[in-house]
Amino acid sequence: IDEALASERPLVLIFSTPAFCHSRTCGPSLEVVKSVWRSNAGELDAIHVEVFENPEESESLREAPAFEEWRLPSEPWVFVIDRDGRIFSRYEGTITEAELRGDVVVVLGR
């Protein structure tokens, strides 16, 4: 995340755990992020952070350090971050492709 922020390119950052999501919105939200990123890959970075550092050990899941650092109370969370590293928008839970595309247009300066 630090490297992406230092690149001075807009960033879409999603914290989600599709396999273990309590709200059942992680998978669909991740697909929205992927779709928007694919359409803008030359100008936009995207990072998916798995909420758990050990998703293969479902009996003893541990939250990933990045998830803990951001002090998020739930999942999924999507952040749109501008070229200056400032959070432009944030979404907890479901996000639509139209919402995310609208934010990306703004941070890309279109």
Side-chain angles (χ1 to χ4, degrees):
I1 296 171
D2 291 340
E3 285 179 32
L5 293 172
S7 76
E8 297 182 2
R9 286 169 46 112
L11 170 67
V12 176
L13 177 62
I14 180 169
F15 291 87
S16 70
T17 182
F20 301 103
C21 194
H22 296 292
S23 66
R24 297 186 179 189
T25 59
C26 290
S29 294
L30 182 56
E31 290 306 312
V32 165
V33 169
K34 287 178 176 180
S35 176
V36 172
W37 173 76
R38 281 186 203 110
S39 300
N40 299 281
E43 304 173 82
L44 177 73
D45 291 330
I47 297 175
H48 168 240
V49 177
E50 171 59 48
V51 171
F52 299 107
E53 68 179 0
N54 61 333
E56 67 286 342
E57 299 171 24
S58 61
E59 302 301 317
S60 59
L61 294 172
R62 290 183 309 277
E63 291 181 346
F67 184 74
E68 290 178 343
E69 282 179 37
W70 282 67
R71 297 184 180 130
L72 301 172
S74 61
E75 83 288 331
W77 276 88
V78 176
F79 296 89
V80 178
I81 302 170
D82 69 14
R83 296 177 193 283
D84 297 321
R86 291 186 301 249
I87 295 172
F88 175 78
S89 60
R90 69 191 87 214
Y91 297 88
E92 178 182 15
T94 305
I95 184 171
T96 67
E97 195 161 324
E99 289 172 317
L100 188 55
R101 284 190 186 282
D103 291 344
V104 166
V105 164
V106 173
V107 297
L108 290 177
R110 293 187 190 154

